[in-house]
Amino acid sequence: MDGSPAPPEWQCLQTQKAGSKPEECEDAGKVWDQADLRYDSAGRPVRSFYAAVSDGASESLLARAWAGQLVDNVLDSMCITEEWWRKPDDFTGDLLDRCAFRWSAFLAQYQEDRVAQGRPITWYEQPGLEKGAFATVLGVEIRGTFISEKETNWSWHSFALGDSCLFHLRDGAVHSSFPLQDVEEFGITPQLLGSRNHDKALVAQRIAIAHGELRPGDEILLTTDALAAWMLAHEDISPTRGTQLAVIAADGAEQFAEWIDHQRHRGYMRNDDVTLVRMRVRAEA
């Protein structure tokens, strides 16, 4: 072994709400393996793996574009700000600066494209552009610290704003969930990050941060709210739900979408866009 912890196995699955087209999905999900090694204070090799999901608020204009930009920005900011969970102000500052710059460039290009298409921004769209787009966001860093050829210490560090959720599975059962632990905690007005929100101190106060230790074979799921609520739908978290979802996800995107439709049809899941990022620490790690 070359001193580099093997990255987790991963999947990113998504399906739009019933009655919508795939290009109308306002969720976003992304994963990134930082192949370059870093070293901790003890000189041990550390390899980080990043993932994020975002759920764009349909009530806002350009929610799909904002969610897509947001997951990119989150991954960049987590990578740039080493041990970002210890420095939420620095992390939030970098994230909002990155968001402001990229969103401004996107809006300028969007308006140019609309003019070129003969569809300039109308008077009734202008207030929506000025108000900005909104989305929930959830990010995680999975970190592998190489101790020896036979041992790698794994951990996860996550932040959340809104009701997209992380689930830590062990032996198929939910070991912990973040930031929500009960289905009753879901509401109609979750915390959102706006494309026009530049108040770094306020955002830093509102984000929740959590961490946990991982073992080989453990899984981390990132889910947007409809699937998260399904996971938390019983008063006592069902030990089979994580296993069931893992089996469905392993069958691929088409089977995942069919299963989501089945859950909606039976009334077990709200009709909404669904995104799942599934990561598993390799058992041989």
Side-chain angles (χ1 to χ4, degrees):
M1 188 171 180
D2 61 1
S4 173
E9 302 168 325
W10 65 272
Q11 290 178 285
C12 184
L13 301 170
Q14 187 175 85
T15 187
Q16 72 278 8
K17 61 176 66 73
S20 296
K21 300 175 182 178
E23 60 269 22
E24 294 173 329
C25 179
E26 293 172 327
D27 278 5
K30 191 170 184 178
V31 295
W32 182 44
D33 173 17
Q34 185 190 38
D36 295 336
L37 293 179
R38 293 175 174 171
Y39 294 86
D40 65 13
S41 58
R44 298 174 300 191
V46 173
R47 184 172 185 174
S48 291
F49 186 84
Y50 303 90
V53 297
S54 179
D55 182 358
S58 298
E59 298 78 10
S60 59
L61 193 63
L62 300 176
R64 172 181 170 87
W66 173 235
Q69 278 203 12
L70 197 48
V71 293
D72 287 338
N73 294 337
V74 162
L75 298 187
D76 288 344
S77 292
M78 285 195 295
C79 178
I80 291 295
T81 312
E82 291 191 44
E83 297 194 346
W84 53 268
W85 57 90
R86 302 184 189 276
K87 299 170 282 187
D89 291 342
D90 292 348
F91 167 68
T92 302
D94 184 84
L95 175 60
L96 293 190
D97 285 345
R98 199 177 298 275
C99 286
F101 177 79
R102 292 179 176 174
W103 189 248
S104 177
F106 166 78
L107 281 183
Q109 187 62 54
Y110 174 74
Q111 293 179 80
E112 286 183 17
D113 291 345
R114 286 284 299 266
V115 170
Q117 295 163 7
R119 301 185 304 112
I121 301 299
T122 62
W123 63 268
Y124 56 82
E125 290 177 300
Q126 194 61 43
L129 287 182
E130 294 173 357
K131 185 177 181 181
F134 295 84
T136 68
V137 63
L138 170 70
V140 68
E141 176 180 344
I142 295 179
R143 172 175 284 220
T145 302
F146 182 73
I147 306 301
S148 69
E149 291 187 3
K150 296 183 179 180
E151 183 180 5
T152 298
N153 284 350
W154 290 96
S155 61
W156 62 266
H157 301 267
S158 182
F159 86 95
L161 186 66
D163 55 10
S164 293
C165 290
L166 175 149
F167 296 94
H168 176 185
L169 306 184
R170 179 167 293 162
D171 298 324
V174 177
H175 184 65
S176 62
S177 63
F178 166 77
L180 307 183
Q181 289 80 44
D182 190 279
V183 71
E184 299 300 326
E185 296 179 63
F186 288 90
I188 59 173
T189 55
Q191 293 273 9
L192 300 169
L193 183 59
S195 61
R196 297 286 189 181
N197 191 339
H198 301 157
D199 190 335
K200 299 174 183 178
L202 180 63
V203 174
Q205 290 174 5
R206 288 182 174 176
I207 64 173
I209 295 177
H211 72 276
E213 301 300 317
L214 291 163
R215 298 175 183 172
D218 282 6
E219 293 188 24
I220 293 290
L221 309 180
L222 303 187
T223 71
T224 48
D225 61 332
L227 184 54
W230 178 87
M231 287 287 291
L232 295 172
H234 294 300
E235 196 171 306
D236 296 320
I237 296 176
S238 169
T240 65
R241 293 220 148 185
T243 300
Q244 182 182 357
L245 189 55
V247 170
I248 296 297
D251 287 336
E254 184 175 348
Q255 291 297 320
F256 178 72
E258 290 180 2
W259 176 79
I260 292 290
D261 282 340
H262 180 66
Q263 297 301 306
R264 292 167 177 161
H265 181 72
R266 298 183 67 184
Y268 296 154
M269 189 180 298
R270 183 166 53 86
N271 183 24
D272 197 2
D273 300 325
V274 172
T275 297
L276 167 67
V277 174
R278 176 179 173 239
M279 297 159 286
R280 179 178 178 274
V281 177
R282 296 176 189 268
E284 66 271 19

